[in-house]
Structures are given as C-alpha cells and as structure tokens.
Amino acid sequence: MRLIKTLGLFSITLLLGACSNNNWQTASREPAGIAPAPEKEKSAVIEVYAADAFSWRGWFAVHTWIATKEANAAEYTVYEVVGWRVKRGLPALHQYKTTTPDRYWFGSKPEKVLSLTGKKAERIIPQITAAVNRYPWANEYTVFPGPNSNTFPEWVGLQVPELV
C-alpha cells in the first residue's frame, strides 16, 4: 500500500511539473492576434485582457491589464500592475506603448474581457487615463488580497463606471 501511495505521489509530481512552464525567459510573449491592429482600426479602442498567471499560479489566478488606443493612434497604451517590479524597486503600476496589447502573458494566451470602440471609447479613454494617474497603490503589490493585477482594473472600473 505504501508503494502505491509513493507511486501516486510521484506521478502527481511529474504531472504538475510537466504542466507548468517554469522558465519565464523562454515563455511566449507573442501577440495573440485578438486586438484590432492600429493601422487598420482608426477609431478609439479600449480593451481589457486576462491571461492565466505565470507557472503554477495560473491554476488559481489570472493577470489582467487594460489597453487603450486613441482615435488614429499608431499604438496602444497598456496599463498593468506587476508584482516583480516592486521586488526590483520599481512601481507596480507599469505603462507602455505597443502595437500588440494582446501578447501572451508568459506562455498564457489572453482572453478579451472587454472591448469598446468608437465614440464611447473615445469619450472614456481620458477618464481611464485620469483614473490610472490617481491609482493609490501604484507602488504596492500583494498577491492576496491585493492590491494586485486584478484589483487594479477593478479600481479603474469603479472610477469609470461607463466601462461596464
């Protein structure tokens, strides 16, 4: 009976190890192809994405981020909160420009949680930007209960009720 338990534990350990990518440096960050290309979509765009968190954390949590593109802009502005940045002495709140806001989150394909385009998006983008600039936990990150990458878009959504 002890041998069966040992083999069972060993099998579970192998399975768990095989199901998680533990090398963030080689994990995919390629575009998922689900965001409107800025050169084709000229109207304003707001998108919110979620992807499984990296490695085993993805069994329990997702990473979320907000992307906005003003009308006729060549790039999106992406807003996200990332815990490892705090460990390196950087703000948790990160903002950057890209043509591909829908990149895989270190091996996990994102899903679109929200998508707005046109006049409504154009009207809301300045409100999102203002809310991001007021985010009170820009330099903090706590896995549970937050602030983290999930409580950030929630907070922005509470500041900009038109997002829902």
Side-chain angles (χ1 to χ4, degrees):
M1 187 60 140
R2 184 173 182 169
L3 178 61
I4 291 172
K5 287 182 182 179
T6 303
L7 287 174
L9 183 59
F10 179 72
S11 298
I12 290 171
T13 303
L14 282 177
L15 178 64
L16 292 179
C19 291
S20 65
N21 179 1
N22 290 319
N23 189 347
W24 63 269
Q25 294 171 315
T26 59
S28 177
R29 294 286 286 144
E30 292 297 314
I34 56 177
E39 65 273 7
K40 292 181 182 173
E41 179 60 71
K42 296 300 181 184
S43 63
V45 178
I46 300 169
E47 305 229 309
V48 178
Y49 297 98
D52 289 346
F54 180 68
S55 188
W56 59 267
R57 294 167 196 86
W59 293 5
F60 306 102
V62 295
H63 175 77
T64 54
W65 62 98
I66 302 168
T68 64
K69 184 190 79 63
E70 294 183 4
N72 298 310
E75 295 180 306
Y76 287 84
T77 301
V78 175
Y79 305 100
E80 64 185 347
V81 168
V82 183
W84 61 259
R85 291 177 52 82
V86 174
K87 292 178 184 175
R88 293 184 178 173
L90 300 167
L93 181 56
H94 182 50
Q95 166 182 331
Y96 62 94
K97 300 273 189 184
T98 182
T99 58
T100 55
D102 59 345
R103 295 187 310 164
Y104 276 62
W105 181 250
F106 297 98
S108 295
K109 185 177 181 179
E111 291 184 28
K112 209 180 281 192
V113 177
L114 173 78
S115 183
L116 297 172
T117 58
K119 294 293 182 189
K120 183 175 182 179
E122 193 170 341
R123 189 175 66 254
I124 296 173
I125 287 173
Q127 295 173 47
I128 292 171
T129 304
V132 168
N133 290 333
R134 291 192 314 271
Y135 184 61
W137 303 283
N139 296 306
E140 300 176 42
Y141 187 94
T142 305
V143 172
F144 184 80
N148 57 43
S149 70
N150 295 299
T151 59
F152 166 66
E154 176 187 23
W155 188 87
V156 172
L158 290 171
Q159 308 305 303
V160 187
E162 282 187 273
L163 275 172
V164 290

